[in-house]
Amino acid sequence: MVNLALGTSVKYLKGVGPKRAEALARLGVRTMGDLLYHAPHRYLDATRVTPLAQARVGEEVTGVGRVVSTGVIPTRRGLRVFRAILRDESGLVECAWPGQPFLERTIKRGQLLLVTGPVRYYHGRQLVPREFILLADAGEEGPDQGLVLPIYPATEGLTHRQIRALVHQHLDALLPLADDPHPRTLRDTVGVPDLRTALAAVHRPATLESAEAGRRRLAFDELFDQQLVQARARALAKRARAGIRFELTKQLTTRLKEHLPFELTADQRRAVREISDDLTAPLRMHRLLMGDVGTGKTVVALFAMLVALENGYQAAIMAPTELLAEQHGVTLARLLEPLALVPELLVGRLGAADKQAARERIASGAARLVVGTHALIQESVTFRRLGLAVIDEQHRFGVEQRAALVEKGDAPDVLLLTATPIPRSLALTLYGDLDVTELRERPPGRGTVKTALRTESARDKIYGFIRRECAAGRQAYVIYPVIEESERADLKAATTMAARLARAFPDLRVGLVHGRLTADERDATMRAFRDNAIHVLVATSVIEVGIDVPNASVMLIEHAERFGLAQLHQLRGRVGRGAAESHCILLSDVSDAEARLRAFSETTDGFKIAELDLKERGMGELAGARQHGGIALRYADLERDLPLLEAARRAAAGIIERDPTLARPEHAAYREQILRRYERGFELFRVG
Ligand code: ADP
Ligand code: MG
């Protein structure tokens, strides 16, 4: 007998030859520990097996029996039905799989099957399995009955039954190898079982509930490790970037408050407080301000920038497009006028002399608050004393671009803004090394946006509506999808649509923007729209995020089914910015899409939509996001396990605070686990 350890190769286990070891390796199972942690991906509840003789018509039944005969019979309507008679101690039942004659090659006499499905009457009682599982081959013993049956991820040459048999054969020997790294108090606080109980429950559950309790424990552990790594990264980042300790002199901020044409929302006040706390702390701020379109992030950022100014520093805000930068310039100029402050605008469109003058004012420090685009990060730009860098629509910039702005200062504080709400669970995994502030509340006094779902047959009516709105002085967007795979055809369709609209509205000006235009051409059209020189703007999905044209009241989205929900939400956010009531019309003739579009039209909560969107696209699509922490999540499900994630984050933060390098003996197991699982582990937890 070999010495068992978690790291020992599985090939030393009885029942694992070279072939099996190879198949197991394909499943990622190389060691005893891998096998112990190879959790079933689902379970069949066989705790309530109905004796076959008692399966009654009209009921849902789970039964287990041996196959006594099989055959394929045609029905009168030409459908071929595979049938198998099952027998258990109580008697017989006929199972039928309509339209699946090929099962003849899979289901054989003598096999032990578990079937679950409804029982109907068809020349007698007939069970129509929704699902079946092969429990044993002819002559083989079946698993103990009355169990919850774990179904393992299988691979070619290794069935789930073989894996189950292997795990069960060795489980009792393997379990003692797993030492619980968590103290009892932590387990109790979180409400998870100890490790061995959890692993036993995952592989050999008595009930579905205990299997789930086991899974939660494993999920907690992986989230905990991930959060330990992030807590450490966060702490290191802050230490490495000992920052400016701003003081709240309140000279400027108080005056801004007095002159603000509106009251801050409670969310905005909380955000300003959280940011002020960061700014006045000796550590550098590294904070993400996440708020749906229109929640008023700019003014929050402005408060932060004024704190920098009060302390004799400069502040800069960088936006992804000229139009957005200009928009910020105008807004900030208006808000700052009573404070006798003028924001400096630096965008590529400025003439060479103006640009040079702006650069000089930035370099001398005469320009205290700077607004710009990528033009800000060019080499020729130097700040005298940059204390705060704000990056709007931060996801539109690459890592290097963000860094380039930050490096214009000497360890400035950093505030990132994003209008792409993501579920908190995802934010914690994606941005776990950032501090996150959320704005959920919308400022009052906005017109509401009504969302309607319409089909092609309503087109004339919709045009009539747009005509009336524009006659009343309002403006409309018409959005056309352009997806990469069919870009040429899509662009053609959008162009055709613009021409068609121009004909339909002879007395209105119709403009078109799409991704193939140069930035200048696009900006020119957008500016004309902003100034109400264009009434109907046909746009592909390139339409600027963050663009603010309060006078636009209609958003018509063609082929709405081709957009993701989050994207639809961004588009809808372009209207409802003024006091007038606005309308978002989703045009779609695809009935399959109706349910999701209807769900979308029934809510305006960006965070709810983000969650729907996440569900829709599935975590698979976000594989990159899942792996962000260094490794993929195997047991945790970010949708379901949010409370667990928060518990993990709290526990991890507490531990890193008390024992930053995990040097204490009681944390040795954590340390070991992280060094093993995370590539960056060593670098993060190196002592000294
Ligand atoms: P976003 O979060 O999408 O960047 P902005 O900062 O552009 O939003 O703000 C959108 C509009 O709402 C701006 O015109 C701004 O002046 C206004 N606004 C911001 N906060 C408030 C408030 N508390 N009350 C009323 N209007 C506000
Ligand atoms: Mg904005």
Side-chain angles (χ1 to χ4, degrees):
M1 183 75 205
V2 257
N3 231 344
L4 278 186
L6 286 178
T8 312
S9 166
V10 272
K11 67 177 188 228
Y12 296 112
L13 282 177
K14 195 157 167 270
V16 181
K19 265 244 166 65
R20 278 231 169 136
E22 217 172 273
L24 282 167
R26 276 201 299 279
L27 292 168
V29 176
R30 293 186 179 76
T31 65
M32 311 269 177
D34 293 340
L35 188 64
L36 190 55
Y37 279 88
H38 187 62
H41 61 302
R42 65 192 185 100
Y43 298 89
L44 270 180
D45 189 358
T47 46
R48 266 158 305 195
V49 172
T50 306
L52 297 179
Q54 287 166 29
R56 266 195 285 276
V57 173
E59 281 178 355
E60 281 280 326
V61 165
T62 298
V64 172
R66 290 271 172 193
V67 180
V68 296
S69 72
T70 65
V72 172
I73 44 164
T75 62
R76 250 182 293 153
R77 282 184 300 138
L79 191 67
R80 288 169 27 101
V81 182
F82 177 73
R83 293 195 316 170
I85 311 283
L86 298 195
R87 190 215 310 272
D88 69 2
E89 283 162 7
S90 72
L92 301 171
V93 79
E94 182 184 78
C95 298
W97 285 266
Q100 301 185 48
F102 49 83
L103 284 179
E104 203 174 15
R105 292 195 296 272
T106 315
I107 298 181
K108 297 275 165 63
R109 253 182 69 179
Q111 287 175 335
L112 187 68
L113 288 194
L114 178 146
V115 287
T116 129
V119 183
R120 65 179 186 183
Y121 189 84
Y122 189 82
H123 306 303
R125 285 180 314 136
Q126 200 175 56
L127 197 156
V128 185
R130 248 183 296 100
E131 182 166 44
F132 72 93
I133 280 273
L134 178 58
L135 297 179
D137 270 324
E140 241 177 41
E141 287 247 0
D144 294 341
Q145 290 217 4
L147 279 182
V148 173
L149 207 64
I151 312 291
Y152 288 88
T155 180
E156 211 185 307
L158 195 60
T159 66
H160 68 90
R161 284 179 300 137
Q162 291 167 321
I163 298 172
R164 184 164 63 232
L166 189 65
V167 172
H168 285 207
Q169 185 187 347
H170 297 292
L171 188 59
D172 290 318
L174 294 178
L175 279 176
L177 303 181
D179 284 320
D180 201 326
H182 299 314
R184 169 115 197 221
T185 47
L186 176 58
R187 296 199 303 262
D188 289 350
T189 315
V190 180
V192 288
D194 71 81
L195 186 56
R196 283 176 202 165
T197 305
L199 285 166
V202 158
H203 291 294
R204 208 166 42 197
T207 61
L208 281 180
E209 289 73 30
S210 63
E212 168 60 11
R215 181 202 67 84
R216 284 187 74 241
R217 164 61 205 253
L218 301 187
F220 175 76
D221 283 14
E222 71 182 343
L223 293 171
F224 176 81
D225 284 353
Q226 180 201 56
Q227 292 302 317
L228 270 181
V229 168
Q230 294 200 336
R232 174 66 174 157
R234 200 158 57 227
L236 277 182
K238 280 187 171 164
R239 194 184 61 182
R241 293 181 284 146
I244 307 159
R245 189 178 205 145
F246 293 107
E247 277 174 33
L248 293 183
T249 71
K250 303 208 172 170
Q251 292 158 353
L252 296 171
T253 50
T254 307
R255 275 178 34 224
L256 176 66
K257 242 180 242 157
E258 284 164 9
H259 290 98
L260 216 51
F262 45 73
E263 292 264 317
L264 291 183
T265 63
D267 264 9
Q268 285 173 320
R269 284 199 301 273
R270 184 178 41 79
V272 168
R273 220 166 26 241
E274 284 179 10
I275 291 168
S276 304
D277 286 348
D278 283 358
L279 291 171
T280 50
L283 302 175
R284 266 175 96 185
M285 173 166 75
H286 202 47
R287 187 172 281 277
L288 178 71
L289 178 60
M290 188 162 82
D292 206 350
V293 285
T295 45
K297 295 180 292 292
T298 316
V299 69
V300 173
L302 178 58
F303 271 97
M305 292 193 282
L306 290 185
V307 173
L309 264 56
E310 285 169 355
N311 286 266
Y313 285 89
Q314 291 166 294
I317 178 166
M318 178 164 75
T321 66
E322 299 212 343
L323 203 71
L324 274 180
E326 275 177 31
Q327 194 175 287
H328 281 319
V330 171
T331 314
L332 296 181
R334 205 176 53 224
L335 293 171
L336 292 175
E337 203 183 334
L339 282 65
L341 279 171
V342 184
E344 184 75 51
L345 186 70
L346 183 62
V347 294
R349 203 167 61 88
L350 297 180
D354 287 345
K355 240 188 246 168
Q356 182 54 28
R359 278 196 296 257
E360 275 165 20
R361 285 190 294 271
I362 294 170
S364 74
R368 301 172 70 189
L369 196 153
V370 184
V371 183
T373 53
H374 303 81
L376 288 179
I377 53 180
Q378 274 161 12
E379 239 171 85
S380 52
V381 178
T382 52
F383 284 78
R384 198 179 76 82
R385 207 171 176 223
L386 181 65
L388 173 67
V390 181
I391 296 166
D392 193 20
E393 308 291 350
Q394 61 94 18
H395 57 282
R396 301 266 303 258
F397 291 97
V399 182
E400 310 75 38
Q401 294 174 317
R402 291 188 298 238
L405 180 63
V406 172
E407 278 157 22
K408 297 280 179 191
D410 182 14
D413 280 7
V414 179
L415 180 63
L416 305 167
L417 311 184
T418 182
T420 306
I422 57 175
R424 190 167 166 72
S425 54
L426 195 58
L428 285 179
T429 13
L430 271 182
Y431 303 127
D433 53 352
L434 287 180
D435 297 302
V436 178
T437 296
E438 273 179 36
L439 289 182
R440 296 192 81 131
E441 196 180 346
R442 224 165 260 282
R446 296 288 170 75
T448 52
V449 181
K450 282 197 175 145
T451 308
L453 185 54
R454 295 284 179 266
T455 56
E456 186 61 36
S457 59
R459 183 176 291 279
D460 286 344
K461 264 190 161 163
I462 296 169
Y463 283 3
F465 179 69
I466 292 179
R467 197 173 289 119
R468 281 196 304 281
E469 286 284 305
C470 291
R474 312 229 175 283
Q475 289 163 277
Y477 295 95
V478 178
I479 305 294
Y480 226 84
V482 170
I483 54 171
E484 241 170 273
E485 302 93 80
S486 53
E487 192 188 314
R488 281 179 61 160
D490 283 350
L491 274 178
K492 192 154 161 261
T495 313
T496 311
M497 177 57 61
R500 181 172 165 186
L501 282 165
R503 280 195 305 277
F505 304 125
D507 41 354
L508 297 177
R509 297 247 342 245
V510 177
L512 171 67
V513 289
H514 56 72
R516 284 294 178 86
L517 300 179
T518 66
D520 283 350
E521 292 169 322
R522 209 158 63 208
D523 269 10
T525 306
M526 292 301 299
R527 256 185 222 105
F529 186 66
R530 179 191 64 194
D531 302 336
N532 204 359
I534 284 178
H535 310 105
V536 178
L537 182 69
V538 180
T540 60
S541 10
V542 301
I543 180 115
E544 311 294 339
V545 250
I547 192 73
D548 193 20
V549 181
N551 191 48
S553 63
V554 183
M555 167 62 61
L556 170 61
I557 303 176
E558 302 264 357
H559 296 291
E561 75 282 351
R562 287 170 64 184
F563 293 93
L565 295 182
Q567 220 181 348
L568 286 176
H569 182 65
Q570 284 291 331
L571 291 170
R572 181 168 58 183
R574 298 307 110 219
V575 293
R577 307 189 136 240
E581 178 168 283
S582 295
H583 301 267
C584 175
I585 305 163
L586 309 177
L587 204 57
S588 174
D589 275 316
V590 178
S591 52
D592 283 355
E594 193 181 324
R596 56 187 282 272
L597 293 178
R598 196 158 297 288
F600 171 80
S601 53
E602 280 163 8
T603 180
T604 52
D605 181 340
F607 285 87
K608 201 185 272 166
I609 287 164
E611 305 213 339
L612 285 177
D613 185 58
L614 187 62
K615 261 196 197 112
E616 183 170 298
R617 282 182 299 155
M619 284 298 178
E621 172 131 337
L622 295 163
R626 296 184 68 177
Q627 300 196 5
H628 185 82
I631 53 164
L633 295 175
R634 292 171 64 190
Y635 311 103
D637 171 345
L638 291 180
E639 272 173 43
R640 269 195 297 169
D641 294 327
L642 184 52
L644 216 48
L645 176 58
E646 308 234 353
R649 181 173 161 91
R650 267 194 305 278
I655 287 168
I656 293 299
E657 198 169 308
R658 292 193 304 277
D659 182 15
T661 56
L662 300 178
R664 294 194 197 167
E666 70 266 30
H667 296 150
Y670 294 154
R671 200 184 149 83
E672 207 175 289
Q673 171 92 345
I674 283 172
L675 296 190
R676 197 168 55 235
R677 288 174 72 182
Y678 284 85
E679 262 174 51
R680 287 171 66 209
F682 182 71
E683 158 203 343
L684 288 171
F685 289 97
R686 193 170 27 201
V687 189

